[in-house]
Amino acid sequence: MRILITGGVGFIGTNLAIEAIKRGYEVIAFDNLSRKWTEENLIYMRKNYPKNYEFIWGDVRNKEDYLKLPKVDAVINMAANPSVMKSLEYPEYDFNTNTVGVFNSLMFAKKLGIPYLYASTNKTFSDITNLIPTREDKKRYVWDDMQGGFPAIIMNGGIDFDKWTPKAINDTFTIDGYGRYGHSIYGIDKLCGELLVQEWGLEYKIPTVIFKMSCIMGLFQLGVEEQAWVDFFLRQIMLGDGKINIFGTGKQVRDVLDGRDTARAYLDALENIDKVKGEIFTLGGGPENTFSLLEAIEVIEKLVGKKADISFHPKRPHDQDIFVSSLVKIKEKLGWEPKIKFEDSLKDMIKQYED
């Protein structure tokens, strides 16, 4: 099988390519190399996987670039502007990449009649998530007991519960912000992409799967301040001046997932496409792998033996105080669950930077 990975030289794209090659597939990595330092990933892949890996320069925004591509058996779309802040500054670029780019890649998949897997985001859920009752502990926000009742717009499905306490958000949680709760420009453009993928699956019978992803981190990430925060924190503390800007209290919580586990989820879905076509999965580390920003910094400080120099700033717009992905459906459908713990991911990242 030959797989096309759009955004194939990026962080998750590189992890996907490695996992796919290990499973015996050929990989076409389609990328415009717009992300700083991605050339390093390309050099690594060409050196270590010369036989089953091919890079083709192209931009998902340009229909003409798809004419360069050979026949493939599946598309995994990882191409995106992943930055909320960049989407606010450059909304046209974000729309053309995160929505028009999806349309163009879907047209390519339709032409060949092949499966299409789409990387979406938890930002397709608005910051209405901040209405979930929350208490503030010393180092993190914690979802609180909901026995006393809660707005019907959220209670209509979408939350996994441990008794009366929210445990995780699943794919049936409302995507509507009701004109009062924002998704960010990035989140809305990714949501447009989701709806296109769903409709193409229905109208053109393309087997599709959507993953709404939480905090993905790991090897080959090369993160920046506004996006890929775990990797950015690590490099600032380990290799930089230690200065970290926290927007808000730092008690915001995310479920973290290693890029290699992420790659397994996508390829498991592709290999079982007849079983999961049409499905939407929330994908992250789940309730067992959650960290606040402050907690993550403490783990990094311990591992590298250096302290961070933290500055606090006003909270950014549309920031979710807590987001934890439900893994119930993906475990039931694919038997998939995270294998790599946060500290082990960090140790591997540290080793990669040391080398």
Side-chain angles (χ1 to χ4, degrees):
M1 178 182 284
R2 179 186 286 170
I3 300 172
L4 173 68
I5 305 175
T6 63
V9 186
F11 154 52
I12 302 177
T14 300
N15 280 281
L16 263 170
I18 293 171
E19 179 67 17
I21 291 168
K22 287 179 178 178
R23 297 190 187 200
Y25 303 138
E26 295 179 39
V27 170
I28 305 295
F30 184 64
D31 205 302
N32 66 1
L33 302 179
S34 62
R35 180 68 178 265
K36 190 177 180 181
W37 301 317
T38 50
E39 293 91 343
E40 295 181 16
N41 294 344
L42 179 56
I43 292 169
Y44 176 91
M45 292 301 298
R46 281 175 163 169
K47 177 182 177 181
N48 290 279
Y49 302 96
K51 292 184 178 180
N52 296 321
Y53 181 84
E54 180 182 356
F55 168 70
I56 298 177
W57 189 96
D59 194 312
V60 293
R61 296 172 295 174
N62 301 328
K63 290 186 292 184
E64 297 78 10
D65 288 351
Y66 289 87
L67 300 175
K68 306 174 186 178
L69 296 173
K71 185 177 180 180
V72 296
D73 301 295
V75 175
I76 303 179
N77 185 6
M78 289 288 161
N81 163 46
S83 169
V84 170
M85 301 310 294
K86 193 170 183 179
S87 76
L88 293 171
E89 189 174 0
Y90 304 105
E92 184 176 3
Y93 169 78
D94 191 87
F95 176 78
N96 285 330
T97 303
N98 292 349
T99 302
V100 175
V102 175
F103 175 88
N104 289 337
S105 57
L106 279 166
M107 289 294 286
F108 177 77
K110 173 180 175 290
K111 176 182 172 183
L112 295 176
I114 56 177
Y116 185 98
L117 280 65
Y118 177 56
S120 190
T121 171
N122 61 4
K123 288 296 184 182
T124 57
F125 303 117
S126 74
D127 56 17
I128 200 171
T129 57
N130 292 341
L131 294 185
I132 300 173
T134 302
R135 70 174 188 272
E136 187 174 342
D137 283 359
K138 185 177 180 181
K139 296 180 182 177
R140 63 158 55 198
Y141 294 123
V142 179
W143 279 330
D144 213 346
D145 193 325
M146 287 175 62
Q147 190 168 2
F150 197 59
I153 53 177
I154 291 183
M155 286 299 288
N156 185 26
I159 299 178
D160 298 343
F161 285 92
D162 182 4
K163 295 185 178 178
W164 291 101
T165 304
K167 186 176 181 182
I169 289 175
N170 62 50
D171 62 289
T172 66
F173 191 88
T174 181
I175 57 174
D176 200 333
Y178 301 93
R180 298 189 298 277
Y181 308 99
H183 302 71
S184 76
I185 300 299
Y186 162 72
I188 285 297
D189 290 340
K190 293 296 286 185
L191 181 57
C192 289
E194 277 195 17
L195 295 174
L196 285 169
V197 172
Q198 291 179 64
E199 203 66 22
W200 251 245
L202 290 170
E203 297 292 343
Y204 301 118
K205 311 305 178 187
I206 297 173
T208 63
V209 180
I210 294 170
F211 291 92
K212 292 177 179 279
M213 297 193 292
S214 187
C215 175
I216 314 299
M217 45 83 71
L219 302 174
F220 309 105
Q221 189 160 32
L222 307 171
V224 294
E225 183 176 62
E226 71 269 16
Q227 188 268 331
W229 56 274
V230 174
D231 182 79
F232 179 75
F233 287 177
L234 173 61
R235 285 189 293 107
Q236 282 295 97
I237 297 170
M238 178 182 175
L239 304 173
D241 58 12
K243 292 183 178 180
I244 293 175
N245 295 315
I246 296 291
F247 297 90
T249 64
K251 298 180 182 181
Q252 300 98 309
V253 170
R254 297 291 183 270
D255 58 321
V256 296
L257 181 66
D258 189 282
R260 292 165 290 187
D261 280 337
T262 308
R264 285 195 303 107
Y266 278 81
L267 290 166
D268 287 355
L270 180 58
E271 291 173 353
N272 293 275
I273 194 67
D274 289 339
K275 183 178 179 181
V276 297
K277 60 185 178 182
E279 295 288 0
I280 302 174
F281 296 106
T282 43
L283 183 67
E288 306 304 318
N289 296 285
T290 65
F291 289 85
S292 71
L293 276 62
L294 296 177
E295 291 167 343
I297 289 171
E298 285 189 353
V299 175
I300 294 169
E301 289 175 331
K302 180 181 177 181
L303 288 175
V304 304
K306 295 181 181 179
K307 298 292 288 184
D309 179 9
I310 302 174
S311 299
F312 290 90
H313 305 273
K315 181 180 179 181
R316 286 172 171 166
H318 316 307
D319 189 14
Q320 297 158 325
D321 291 335
I322 303 174
F323 190 89
V324 181
S325 308
S326 170
L327 303 182
V328 172
K329 182 193 282 190
I330 195 168
K331 287 180 180 179
E332 288 179 349
K333 297 283 186 179
L334 291 173
W336 177 95
E337 58 185 347
K339 291 182 177 179
I340 305 171
K341 295 298 183 182
F342 182 59
E343 287 197 19
D344 293 328
S345 295
L346 287 171
K347 289 175 183 177
D348 290 342
M349 294 163 71
I350 290 168
K351 185 177 185 302
Q352 187 175 57
Y353 285 127
E354 287 175 340
D355 294 342

